[in-house]
Amino acid sequence: YTAAGVARSSPSVDLYPVEAYSIFIEGEKLTAKLKQRVIDRCGESHLRQYLLNKHRLSDGKVEGINWPALEGYLKSMSVPRRATQVKLQHGWIPTNSFLFTQRRATSDQCPLCASAPETLQHVRCCSAAVTFRQERIARLCRDLRGINTAPEIVHCWKGSIEMACGDSVDIADNGMVLVAPGLAQALSLARRHQAILSWEGFLQGRFSVKWNDVQQYHERRRWQETASHDKRQPWDRRAVRLVCEFHNDLWQYRNDEVHGRTQQEARQKLRDEIEAKVRALYARNPLLLARYPSIYSVPLEVRLTRSTLVLQMWVKQVVQHELITDLVRQKAQMAAGSIENFLQPRVKQQEQRASGSQHLQAVRAVDTLLRWWRYRARFRSRVELPRMGIGDPG
């Protein structure tokens, strides 16, 4: 860019002399991150419609969500953690119910309590994680107070999160007294607005914009306390981060209990799981086709001495052999008919085939006679009747 007095990234210039083309979106010239901006623009309408339908959001609800705070939090994360958080926000985490729907799991039951299908909502309300969940809620409240969150907001969020997680709420012990009528009114408005947006969406990062009004009222009323806190990041972005991390920790606790907290625990749990599958196959003793080796060709004690990867491949192979065996048996049953027909004497079967062939011969004879009769009728109408003066020789 060589235009005098004009910045290199100025969007006010339509086209520089050295530019071959310019890209504009809604009248704004793109001067940086062209590819990303174009990709976002091309898929924006479809993504917006998908999110509206999935989370049941109307245009009014979309306008009432604090999107800048959620966007700032997601951009501050690394790519792997951001991917996990986005899956949590949209219900794409690999729960047993989700995997069972995709036929990637044999059961949709919760691996911790085994009392209900494991959905995203059940992960938050699982009875096997009550102790951890209560401790994590207490830590969330401490962290919220650490960023100078209004005590009224902390109390409101604590009770609502406990209700969303299926825990009992102690209404009698509120722990505070609202002395400012303006704050009570703003808090009531924010609570009702968040209830419209849903508290489940709150745990997924969709905050109401009304919470900022309550926090600003608190900061104006307690300006001396506010001045001592760090203000490098806005309060709403830090609050969104704390709540989303709480939601993520519930899912992480489930993974730690199922798969182990360390690599050694994960390997041991995987080994125990595959050994249980092998023992179940030996106890069930599936009947396979003759061309497949029997599972008892190798004793169980010898089989269990092999590595985890070899056992996984063997279990997968046996499952495939069972599927093929079932298909071959179904095909044979369709060809042979019922078991009564299969066990009939061969003489009776030959008689049935002979009677069937006689019926087929009779049908063919009748068909030949009909064809001859049609030919005779056509010959008579075209040759003999015109000679006798009947009909039109045509």
Side-chain angles (χ1 to χ4, degrees), residues 30 32-42:
L30 303 185
K33 299 181 180 179
L34 303 183
K35 182 178 179 181
Q36 186 64 35
R37 293 284 298 276
V38 171
I39 292 176
D40 294 343
R41 181 62 177 177
C42 292

Side-chain angles (χ1 to χ4, degrees), residues 184-198:
Q185 182 179 1
L187 182 64
S188 177
L189 179 61
R191 185 193 298 113
R192 292 197 302 268
H193 189 255
Q194 186 64 60
I196 294 174
L197 297 178
S198 80

Side-chain angles (χ1 to χ4, degrees), residues 87-375:
K87 291 179 181 179
L88 280 170
Q89 292 176 4
H90 302 300
W92 297 333
I93 56 174
T95 59
N96 277 355
S97 179
F98 187 80
L99 297 178
F100 184 75
T101 304
Q102 296 181 338
R103 298 182 180 179
R104 295 166 56 191
T106 58
S107 174
D108 62 346
Q109 296 296 308
C110 175
L112 299 182
C113 64
S115 61
E118 188 191 35
T119 59
L120 178 58
Q121 182 179 3
H122 180 78
V123 172
R124 295 191 295 265
C125 306
C126 183
S127 58
V130 174
T131 303
F132 172 80
R133 188 166 56 244
Q134 292 176 351
E135 295 176 355
R136 190 60 183 84
I137 291 176
R139 196 179 86 187
L140 173 63
C141 295
R142 292 194 300 268
D143 294 340
L144 288 173
R145 296 189 187 98
I147 61 173
N148 192 31
T149 305
E152 296 82 1
I153 294 180
V154 175
H155 179 265
C156 177
W157 287 4
K158 179 178 181 294
S160 300
I161 291 175
E162 288 176 348
M163 292 181 62
C165 294
D167 297 333
S168 59
V169 181
D170 189 3
I171 302 177
D173 185 14
N174 51 23
M176 66 177 181
V177 178
L178 298 178
V179 295
L183 181 59
Q185 182 179 1
L187 182 64
S188 177
L189 179 61
R191 185 193 298 113
R192 292 197 302 268
H193 189 255
Q194 186 64 60
I196 294 174
L197 297 178
S198 80
W199 287 100
E200 180 182 0
F202 174 83
L203 292 175
Q204 296 172 349
R206 295 191 294 274
F207 278 37
S208 169
V209 295
K210 304 296 183 181
W211 294 116
N212 284 341
D213 299 337
V214 182
Q215 180 64 20
Q216 291 173 4
Y217 191 96
H218 164 74
E219 292 177 356
R220 289 194 304 267
R221 190 163 59 95
R222 301 184 181 182
W223 60 271
Q224 293 181 346
E225 298 179 7
T226 304
S228 62
H229 285 80
D230 186 11
K231 295 184 178 179
R232 286 178 295 181
Q233 285 188 354
W235 168 83
D236 53 357
R237 183 181 300 181
R238 288 182 290 174
V240 168
R241 176 180 61 83
L242 293 177
V243 174
C244 290
E245 287 180 354
F246 162 77
H247 197 203
N248 180 77
D249 288 347
L250 296 181
W251 172 247
Q252 186 63 38
Y253 173 80
R254 176 264 184 196
N255 288 337
D256 292 342
E257 292 295 320
V258 174
H259 304 295
R261 292 177 172 81
T262 62
Q263 293 184 356
Q264 184 178 1
E265 289 184 5
R267 288 194 293 266
Q268 185 61 39
K269 286 181 176 291
L270 183 60
R271 180 69 185 187
D272 296 340
E273 180 181 358
I274 195 63
E275 286 186 359
K277 290 183 179 180
V278 171
R279 295 179 187 277
L281 278 177
Y282 271 79
R284 186 159 52 91
N285 190 17
L287 298 178
L288 305 177
L289 295 176
R291 62 174 179 261
Y292 296 135
S294 173
I295 62 174
Y296 280 97
S297 59
V298 178
L300 176 60
E301 294 75 11
V302 177
R303 181 86 67 184
L304 293 178
T305 59
R306 298 178 179 177
S307 64
T308 302
L309 180 59
V310 172
L311 292 180
Q312 287 178 331
M313 296 175 62
W314 179 77
V315 170
K316 185 177 180 180
Q317 185 182 32
V318 172
V319 172
Q320 293 177 349
H321 290 173
E322 283 188 283
L323 294 176
I324 295 175
T325 301
D326 293 339
L327 291 176
V328 172
R329 288 173 178 171
Q330 292 177 6
K331 186 176 180 180
Q333 184 178 4
M334 294 175 61
S338 63
I339 189 66
E340 182 181 358
N341 294 336
F342 181 77
L343 296 177
Q344 284 180 353
R346 291 187 176 273
V347 177
K348 190 173 183 180
Q349 293 180 4
Q350 292 176 358
E351 292 178 355
Q352 289 182 352
R353 293 193 186 98
S355 61
S357 61
Q358 293 177 359
H359 176 71
L360 181 60
Q361 292 176 1
V363 171
R364 290 177 178 175
V366 172
D367 185 58
T368 303
L369 181 61
L370 289 175
R371 288 202 303 271
W372 177 85
W373 179 257
R374 294 193 189 99
Y375 174 77

Side-chain angles (χ1 to χ4, degrees), residues 69-77 85 237 240-241 244-245:
L70 180 58
E71 180 183 5
Y73 164 64
L74 292 177
K75 286 185 176 180
S76 66
M77 304 176 67
Q85 188 59 237
R237 183 181 300 181
V240 168
R241 176 180 61 83
C244 290
E245 287 180 354

